[in-house]
Structures are given as C-alpha cells and as structure tokens.
Amino acid sequence: MLNMKAYLLLAFMSISLLCLTSLVRVSTLNPGRIPPSTAVSIHENEHWTYCRMCNSMRPQRAHHCRRCGQCVMRMDHHCPWINNCVGEENHYAFFLLLLYAFLLSAVVFLLCMLHFWVYPKCQQCDKDTFYVKHSIWFLYLLTLLAANMTLVMGIQLIGQHFNLLIDRTTLENMQQSPDPSRIHLRSTFTAYEEMCGRKRSMMFLWLFPCKRKTVFSRGVSSQTV
Ligand SMILES: [Zn+2]
Ligand SMILES: [Zn+2]
C-alpha cells in the first residue's frame, strides 16, 4: 500500500507531466494559420477582410501576427513564453498550460508552507514525509517563487476564463475595452465545449492536451480529430 509520501510524489509528477505536455503541445501546434489559397464561396466570404501583409482574405476575428508573419484564426495573442501564437486551434492547450502551471505552483507552495509552519509543531505528523533536505535559503527562495507563480498563473487563468465566458480575445480587449452594458455571459459549458471541441459527454478529455482541433482541414469547415 502506498504511503503519504508516495501519493504526494505521484500527484506532483502527474501534474508536472501534464504541464510539460501542455507546454510542448501549445508551442508546436498550428495556432490556426489560414492557408493562402483558402477556397470559400461568396456566401462564406461575405464578412471576410483583406490582409495586405499576407495578400489574402481572412475570416472575421482573424488577426495578422507580425512576429509569425501569418494570419491566425481567432487569434488571442502572441506569447513569447511559448514562442507561438495562441489562436483557435491551440487555445485549449494554452488554457491547460495555465491550469497545470497554477496547480503545480500551488502544490509546491503548499508543501513549503507545511514544511515551515505546520509540521514542525505537529507531534503526530510524519515529519520525514515533508521535510526537505536542502539549505534553508533554497526553501525561502522556492517559497517566494511558488507564491509568485501561483499568483501570476491564477490571475492569467481567471482572465482567460472570463474572456471565454464573454467570448472575447485578449487582442480584442486590448483594441477596445468590453462595454459593460453589452457584456453577455455565456454558459460555462458552452464556452469550454467550443474551446475544447469535444462534447460534454467526453468532458474528462477536456483535461488532457491530446486532441487535435483542425479549423481549416477543408475550406472553412471545422472538425475535431
Ligand atoms: Zn495576414
Ligand atoms: Zn505569432
């Protein structure tokens, strides 16, 4: 039977693995690049705009990223930390990266707090489980970093969650602040279903950065693989 130490290690390693996988996925996935020869009918083309830099048409809510030199579907922003755009097709992986980075930081912060304040005073606790055999200055540094990362990731996560609910992107908010009188909150399930591209019956898969969402597989049709 696994002891407490093994459970903690398992939880930490699982979150770390999911965090690392999300990072690799969001960095390497196509964010929703618009092919130069996207064939659309006149009806579909009605609300498209022209990008002078790509010299081609693009759908509504697509933006041109100067760093990547391409137009991206429903572009949220260009993230220097992942060296990629965040757009229609990799937004879910970016959201998962924020979620797991937040959880990982929170777990590290929690363990630091236990080490400093809770377990030294506890008579019945298994101290060997929580004592870390490192220099004390390293633990202080780790606590500060973990607290900082938890705060930053938490704020980013809440911001992304709110943007999803009001169906706006970071770029759209930067270009024009949302009008409070016109804000319409969508259902949480609808918002996440749209971002993840999977049905509610497969909600457990929303937590894994393993699927591939393809917007431009055939013309402008959307499909999930
Ligand atoms: Zn463009
Ligand atoms: Zn970019």
Side-chain angles (χ1 to χ4, degrees), residues 61-77:
R61 306 189 77 183
H63 286 271
H64 184 88
C65 176
R66 290 171 191 269
R67 291 197 188 184
C68 300
Q70 62 186 17
C71 276
V72 174
M73 273 289 291
R74 201 180 184 279
M75 179 176 162
D76 192 80
H77 65 288

